[in-house]
Amino acid sequence: MAAGNDVDESPPVIFNPDFFVEKLRHESPDVFLELVLSNITRLIDLPGTEFAQLLGEDCPKTPTSGNGGFFRSFNFLKRKKGVVFGTTLTESCIAQIYQLIEFLSKLHVEGLFRVPGNSLRQHALKELLNGGADVDLEAGEFHPNDVASLLKTFLGELPEPLLTHRHFHVHLKIADMTLFDEKGNKTAVPNKERQIEALQLLFLLLPQANRSLLKLLLDLLYHTAKQQDKNKMSAYNLALMFAPHVLWPRHMTAGDLKDNLKNLNNSMAFLIKHSQKLFRAPVYLREYAKVHFNGTKVLQSKDDLELLAVSSSSSSSPAQRTAPALKRTAGPGCAVQEQSQSPAQQYTEEALKELFRHVHQNMPDSAKKKKLVRQLVKQTQSGTSSEDHLLPTAACKKHPRSRSFGGLIK
């Protein structure tokens, strides 16, 4: 009876909609990369050199002659490499910097991030963080402006901007995405839907540590902007403060700033305003990832997803309008196939079996594992087609980063 009570009183199993996307990334990285890149190039025209830079096959050609004295001003606090500041971004760095982010998320100080802090207090706090200390920022030793300024310093001392040099030209292309009028002429109205889709895809290609910190940072700035009536910091004001550290290439010259400044600032403001949508994989990627492991035919792009509704009322084949087929797509022919069963009914049973194997083989024996196994068995026996509670976000992941700050982006 006690065991039954344990099951009933246990927390609900939460389904992470991007679990299969992450599973595809870790278990079939070539398929994952090809799928994401094919959809990015569907949305954005990337010349050969820029595409090679995105792949890391060519050194990024950032707008600089190599001398770049202007941008050096943003690194003036850099002295020596420590555990956190001035080093390559790692998740141990993020764990320390998260102390600043967590503290700042509770504040509504006017001019936050705009008003500079005290340099001596910033240096003392920087040394504490470099030494791996847990700092009690609530004690009042450091002013909120000290903490906010040090967060910007940390970002400015990274070897490259948070969104990386490799992605710089793609972000400029995304900023230039606009709608077309009825005659097919380009307008000045941003195509926000396509911009969000492109950013969702591009963020999937970021290094895991960059993506984790970006998620934490944009969440902070989003909620700060929502309190602009108190702190006087709108999304655009915050973008002016953070675009240099998140988007601008290191050593960018004054001439290059003149050419790209407006687009870069607008891009940063867009990231802040839409941050709550940008860390979800597009629906068609989720669908592909779910059925990839079952060997069935799949949706490969948003175009396929839109054609699915058309195919249900028309006998004409949508094959000519779908995105180019991937080399590893299982089965020939059209990417969308109507079936008598709903997609949820088709792959829920297989997904549950896969998750059961995942938990049974990879989780250490513990009460938590036994409880999760019981829930999965109960779910399998119930035969429900709901997918809202198939998997806890972290327990069933094989990759060690699932227990780190990487898990915060899911």
Side-chain angles (χ1 to χ4, degrees):
M1 193 67 180
N5 291 337
D6 287 344
V7 174
D8 293 338
E9 295 174 2
S10 62
V13 180
I14 302 172
F15 177 71
N16 172 17
D18 282 351
F19 167 74
F20 288 103
V21 175
E22 293 302 318
K23 178 179 172 67
L24 185 67
R25 181 209 297 270
H26 295 307
E27 297 188 8
S28 303
D30 292 340
V31 177
F32 173 83
L33 181 62
E34 187 176 12
L35 180 64
V36 174
L37 287 174
S38 67
N39 280 286
I40 287 178
T41 55
R42 174 178 58 85
L43 294 169
I44 305 169
D45 180 24
L46 292 175
T49 302
E50 293 180 5
F51 186 73
Q53 291 169 14
L54 181 61
L55 289 176
E57 296 174 352
D58 191 12
C59 293
K61 301 299 190 296
T62 54
T64 174
S65 61
N67 299 322
F70 181 88
F71 201 84
R72 292 178 189 272
S73 60
F74 289 96
N75 287 326
F76 69 96
L77 288 176
K78 187 172 181 178
R79 296 181 180 88
K80 61 180 181 179
K81 289 190 175 183
V83 176
V84 176
F85 288 78
T87 65
T88 301
L89 185 63
T90 65
E91 296 202 352
S92 62
C93 293
I94 298 174
Q96 284 295 88
I97 293 302
Y98 181 66
Q99 297 181 74
L100 309 182
I101 294 174
E102 185 179 33
F103 174 70
L104 293 169
S105 66
K106 305 171 185 177
L107 305 178
H108 308 299
V109 179
E110 184 172 340
L112 190 65
F113 297 114
R114 187 182 70 241
V115 180
N118 179 276
S119 60
L120 292 178
R121 291 196 300 261
Q122 288 179 63
H123 178 75
L125 180 55
K126 180 177 180 179
E127 291 302 310
L128 288 172
L129 294 174
N130 267 339
D134 291 331
V135 185
D136 182 10
L137 295 171
E138 304 284 353
E141 182 179 354
F142 302 101
H143 191 276
N145 291 335
D146 303 333
V147 180
S149 296
L150 193 61
L151 177 59
K152 291 192 293 181
T153 297
F154 169 78
L155 294 171
E157 292 187 4
L158 290 174
E160 64 175 344
L162 193 55
L163 289 175
T164 75
H165 287 134
R166 285 167 56 175
H167 293 186
F168 175 70
H169 290 290
V170 184
H171 281 287
L172 289 180
K173 294 285 182 71
I174 293 173
D176 199 38
M177 282 182 169
T178 58
L179 295 172
F180 292 85
D181 61 23
E182 58 276 3
K183 296 181 180 180
N185 299 316
K186 192 173 183 178
T187 69
V189 181
N191 189 335
K192 294 181 180 179
E193 182 180 351
R194 287 282 176 166
Q195 288 176 321
I196 289 172
E197 182 185 354
L199 288 167
Q200 288 174 332
L201 292 165
L202 193 59
F203 284 3
L204 290 172
L205 298 182
L206 283 171
Q208 189 66 47
N210 292 59
R211 192 166 186 251
S212 297
L213 181 56
L214 181 66
K215 174 69 166 64
L216 293 171
L217 178 65
L218 290 181
D219 279 347
L220 170 63
L221 299 182
Y222 172 81
H223 290 292
T224 301
K226 287 183 68 175
Q227 300 293 329
Q228 62 178 301
D229 58 324
K230 300 176 182 177
N231 57 40
K232 312 302 180 186
M233 295 300 291
S234 65
Y236 190 78
N237 288 339
L238 291 167
L240 295 177
M241 301 294 105
F242 282 90
H245 311 305
V246 175
L247 277 166
W248 295 359
R250 297 298 188 249
H251 309 307
M252 181 176 272
T253 66
D256 295 315
L257 284 174
K258 181 180 179 181
D259 295 335
N260 298 312
L261 183 59
K262 183 177 180 180
N263 274 348
L264 291 171
N265 289 338
N266 287 337
S267 294
M268 187 67 212
F270 188 89
L271 296 181
I272 295 171
K273 291 176 182 177
H274 299 279
S275 61
Q276 306 307 297
K277 302 177 183 178
L278 301 180
F279 295 89
R280 310 169 189 168
V283 173
Y284 53 84
L285 252 66
R286 294 179 183 176
E287 296 301 310
Y288 179 95
K290 284 179 183 178
V291 300
H292 169 82
F293 300 100
N294 297 334
T296 56
K297 297 176 184 179
V298 300
L299 304 173
Q300 295 174 4
S301 72
K302 185 177 180 182
D303 295 335
D304 292 344
L305 190 65
E306 292 168 347
L307 285 168
L308 183 61
V310 178
S311 67
S312 63
S313 59
S314 172
S315 60
S316 60
S317 170
Q320 295 178 350
R321 293 172 58 192
T322 57
L326 300 180
K327 297 176 183 178
R328 295 177 181 261
T329 301
C334 182
V336 180
Q337 183 180 34
E338 294 182 65
Q339 299 186 11
S340 57
Q341 287 183 302
S342 70
Q345 289 173 324
Q346 290 174 346
Y347 47 69
T348 294
E349 183 177 351
E350 288 300 319
L352 285 169
K353 292 178 181 178
E354 174 68 23
L355 300 179
F356 183 90
R357 286 194 293 269
H358 231 356
V359 172
H360 183 68
Q361 295 173 7
N362 295 290
M363 282 188 69
D365 291 332
S366 63
K368 182 177 181 181
K369 176 179 177 179
K370 291 177 182 178
K371 184 180 293 185
L372 182 57
V373 168
R374 286 198 300 268
Q375 288 176 306
L376 287 173
V377 170
K378 182 179 178 181
Q379 182 64 37
T380 303
Q381 291 173 345
S382 69
T384 180
S385 63
S386 173
E387 62 180 22
D388 291 337
H389 47 282
L390 294 182
L391 176 70
T393 53
C396 296
K397 292 196 175 176
K398 180 186 297 183
H399 200 275
R401 285 181 293 193
S402 62
R403 297 193 177 192
S404 66
F405 272 85
L408 291 172
I409 67 171
K410 306 297 188 293

